[in-house]
């Protein structure tokens, strides 16, 4: 409710985030909130820079843009033709926005090299190093590694310390896409999963995911102050006059790709003031506890198979429902082809009955499985129990 009230107020004010004189209070709120987020990442005194962008995909693209500029500043004026062939690295379980950013920036999707993951969906550091060496031998220039803190499907956290060591060794920009998992920095119980994030050059963190801030609210945090400004500024004299009577660093519009920019910070700032860090911590811990409850309920239950062994790291619980007709059936091609059709039919029935809706997808050699993701702290154990009963009710005749 607090976030909604903040959204109403910013809509009523209907101002823009490009200069201090147009949105003085909101600009200052963005400054202090981003600094606090950088402190939580682990950068000394909250040093660095950042901006709220229209979503995690754009935040990831900002990181790619800034990493490229850091290595080859001439690209800003002369374009891609003036620099060598760049390559970026990310895990095979990473978000599609990394490739989308490469396409948009003219780097090309073929220049994004996908690194193998282990059975839990975490990037394998030895494969990352092997592919970096391989790329350099081919004459390519590695410029960015995008590690993922909370993958979309498995909710996996890449080994950030090992990745940071490799990035330091080969002088490559380290970005952490924490759009989904960044909120765990609020939790004393779970923030260890992001150990090593303090060594990143940039971080994406979406409070509109685990923290429940109304859409849209995505932050891109950059460790080096001034780099984002140098990368993006165009010195438009009708907005960013250099002889204004206040500190020009508060004119944030020239470091953004956008000109017009929505006020996204106020929802987060007001919620943070109302709930405190401990309030966010409590709701995040509750969601993770509910995911563990679901996992414990189905891991040994007849008719369920987990997609990977062990307790999930985030609130993503991935499983197959095995209807009675497939139980005890030999694991062969026919069983696989029949199992592939189970989740889509059950989801269609869920939607037709209007009772619930759970995502499903294939991944690699794994056919369609359910991916239950819990991010609403209003959910209860009874809701989880209902979900299990409903899947069994809708799938028992398949």
């Amino acid at each position: 409710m607090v976030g909604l009230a903040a959204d109403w107020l910013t809509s009523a004010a209907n101002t823009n985030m490009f200069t201090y004189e147009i949105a003085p209070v909101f600009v200052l709120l963005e400054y202090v909130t981003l600094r606090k987020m950088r402190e939580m990442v682990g950068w000394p005194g909250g040093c660095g820079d950042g901006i709220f962008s229209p979503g995690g995909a754009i935040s990831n693209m900002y990181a790619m843009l800034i990493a490229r500029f850091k290595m080859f500043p001439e690209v800003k004026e002369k374009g891609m033709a003036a620099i060598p062939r760049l390559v970026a690295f990310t895990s095979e379980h990473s978000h599609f926005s990394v490739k989308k950013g490469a396409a948009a920036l003219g780097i090309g999707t073929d220049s994004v090299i996908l690194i193998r993951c282990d059975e839990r969906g975490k990037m394998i550091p030895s494969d990352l190093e092997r592919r970096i060496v391989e790329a350099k031998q081919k004459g390519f220039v590695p410029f960015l590694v995008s590690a993922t803190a909370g993958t979309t499907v498995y909710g996996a956290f890449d080994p950030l310390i090992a990745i940071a060591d490799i990035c330091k060794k080969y002088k490559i920009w380290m970005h952490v896409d924490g759009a989904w998992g960044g909120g765990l920095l609020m939790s004393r119980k779970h923030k260890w999963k992001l150990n090593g994030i303090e060594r990143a050059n940039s971080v994406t963190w979406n409070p509109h995911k685990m923290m429940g801030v109304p859409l849209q609210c995505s932050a891109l945090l950059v460790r080096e102050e001034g780099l984002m400004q140098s990368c993006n500024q165009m010195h438009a004299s009708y907005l960013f006059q250099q002889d204004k009577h206040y500190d020009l660093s508060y004119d944030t519009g020239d470091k953004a790709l956008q000109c017009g920019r929505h006020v996204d910070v106020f929802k987060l700032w007001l919620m943070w003031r109302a709930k405190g860090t401990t309030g966010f911590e409590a709701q995040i811990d509750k969601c993770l506890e509910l995911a563990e409850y679901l996992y414990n309920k189905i891991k040994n239950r007849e008719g369920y198979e987990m997609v990977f062994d062990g307790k999930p790291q985030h609130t993503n619980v991935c499983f197959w429902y095995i209807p009675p007709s497939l139980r005890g059936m030999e694991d062969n091609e026919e069983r696989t082809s029949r199992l592939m059709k189970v989740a889509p039919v059950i989801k269609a029935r869920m939607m037709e009955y209007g009772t619930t809706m759970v995502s499903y997808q294939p991944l690699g050699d794994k056919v369609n499985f359910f991916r239950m993701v819990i991010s609403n702290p209003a959910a209860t154990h009874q809701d989880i129990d209902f979900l299990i009963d409903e899947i069994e009710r809708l799938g028992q005749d398949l």
Side-chain angles (χ1 to χ4, degrees):
M1 288 190 293
V2 173
L4 183 60
D7 228 354
W8 285 341
L9 194 147
T10 52
S11 294
N14 195 34
T15 191
N16 207 319
M17 283 292 283
F18 47 53
T19 62
Y20 173 76
E21 57 197 322
I22 295 298
V25 176
F26 294 139
V27 163
L28 293 178
L29 293 183
E30 185 173 66
Y31 176 83
V32 298
T33 304
L34 288 169
R35 185 177 62 195
K36 180 64 178 174
M37 294 173 81
R38 292 192 298 268
E39 274 180 26
M40 299 192 81
V41 165
W43 296 335
C47 67
D49 205 345
I51 202 159
F52 282 92
S53 84
I58 303 299
S59 292
N60 288 341
M61 188 173 78
Y62 264 120
M64 191 171 280
L65 179 73
I66 296 164
R68 181 178 67 177
F69 176 80
K70 172 71 174 175
M71 187 173 277
F72 294 103
E74 62 270 29
V75 73
K76 182 176 175 181
E77 287 81 22
K78 297 177 181 174
M80 289 295 289
I83 63 174
R85 168 79 181 272
L86 303 179
V87 287
F89 305 84
T90 192
S91 91
E92 58 187 354
H93 286 209
S94 65
H95 194 262
F96 67 85
S97 58
V98 179
K99 280 194 169 185
K100 186 166 276 195
L105 296 176
I107 294 164
T109 58
D110 286 351
S111 296
V112 177
I113 296 171
L114 300 181
I115 307 304
R116 286 192 300 114
C117 292
D118 64 18
E119 67 282 354
R120 294 293 304 265
K122 300 179 183 188
M123 186 193 291
I124 300 171
S126 59
D127 192 52
L128 171 64
E129 184 161 22
R130 181 181 68 82
R131 299 301 297 274
I132 289 171
V133 170
E134 199 176 83
K136 289 168 75 75
Q137 287 170 346
K138 291 178 180 176
F140 302 150
V141 178
F143 82 107
L144 174 131
V145 173
S146 180
T148 312
T151 59
T152 309
V153 180
Y154 282 7
F157 289 77
D158 285 343
L160 302 182
I161 294 172
I163 292 168
D165 289 342
I166 293 167
C167 289
K168 182 180 179 182
K169 180 177 178 180
Y170 294 97
K171 297 181 172 61
I172 302 172
W173 183 283
M174 178 182 171
H175 175 63
V176 175
D177 176 5
W180 176 221
L184 269 59
L185 290 168
M186 293 276 180
S187 168
R188 285 167 291 186
K189 183 178 179 182
H190 296 285
K191 66 181 180 182
W192 64 269
K193 296 168 187 174
L194 295 106
N195 284 351
I197 194 170
E198 71 282 355
R199 296 176 62 187
N201 298 95
S202 57
V203 174
T204 293
W205 178 355
N206 286 9
H208 68 227
K209 292 187 184 292
M210 272 307 286
M211 293 165 65
V213 177
L215 280 161
Q216 62 196 23
C217 190
S218 173
L220 184 274
L221 310 172
V222 182
R223 188 166 61 186
E224 184 177 332
E225 191 172 359
L227 191 58
M228 179 179 271
Q229 182 85 8
S230 301
C231 178
N232 295 322
Q233 67 185 358
M234 290 294 156
H235 303 289
S237 59
Y238 54 86
L239 277 180
F240 309 115
Q241 302 90 343
Q242 298 304 295
D243 51 2
K244 289 180 179 178
H245 70 290
Y246 57 80
D247 184 345
L248 297 177
S249 69
Y250 292 122
D251 281 357
T252 56
D254 217 11
K255 68 183 178 186
L257 286 175
Q258 305 158 259
C259 179
R261 192 159 65 87
H262 188 259
V263 178
D264 292 325
V265 66
F266 190 56
K267 297 169 287 191
L268 172 58
W269 180 86
L270 199 64
M271 285 177 70
W272 210 335
R273 294 292 295 180
K275 299 162 81 76
T277 302
T278 53
F280 278 124
E281 176 183 47
Q283 74 177 54
I284 287 165
D285 286 354
K286 183 184 176 188
C287 290
L288 281 141
E289 186 274 322
L290 285 170
E292 190 172 345
Y293 176 78
L294 172 60
Y295 166 72
N296 288 333
K297 287 271 291 191
I298 65 174
K299 65 178 177 180
N300 296 317
R301 188 184 180 99
E302 186 182 16
Y304 291 87
E305 286 182 18
M306 306 311 299
V307 173
F308 55 84
D309 292 331
K311 188 173 74 172
Q313 274 207 296
H314 206 351
T315 69
N316 309 46
V317 184
C318 300
F319 60 92
W320 288 282
Y321 173 68
I322 315 295
S325 66
L326 297 184
R327 293 173 203 170
M329 189 175 175
E330 190 182 340
D331 191 5
N332 54 26
E333 197 173 317
E334 186 195 349
R335 182 185 186 272
T336 300
S337 67
R338 287 175 65 181
L339 181 59
M340 181 172 65
K341 298 169 186 172
V342 171
V345 172
I346 293 177
K347 180 171 181 178
R349 291 177 178 180
M350 286 175 175
M351 294 173 72
E352 286 161 6
Y353 279 102
T355 51
T356 186
M357 189 161 63
V358 182
S359 296
Y360 72 84
Q361 67 280 303
L363 185 69
D365 60 353
K366 294 176 168 62
V367 297
N368 287 326
F369 55 87
F370 283 114
R371 171 174 57 102
M372 178 63 188
V373 179
I374 300 163
S375 58
N376 183 353
T380 64
H381 288 171
Q382 289 75 24
D383 293 320
I384 303 298
D385 295 339
F386 171 79
L387 170 70
I388 295 168
D389 292 341
E390 189 68 354
I391 288 173
E392 292 171 356
R393 180 179 78 85
L394 298 174
Q396 63 182 346
D397 63 330
L398 296 178

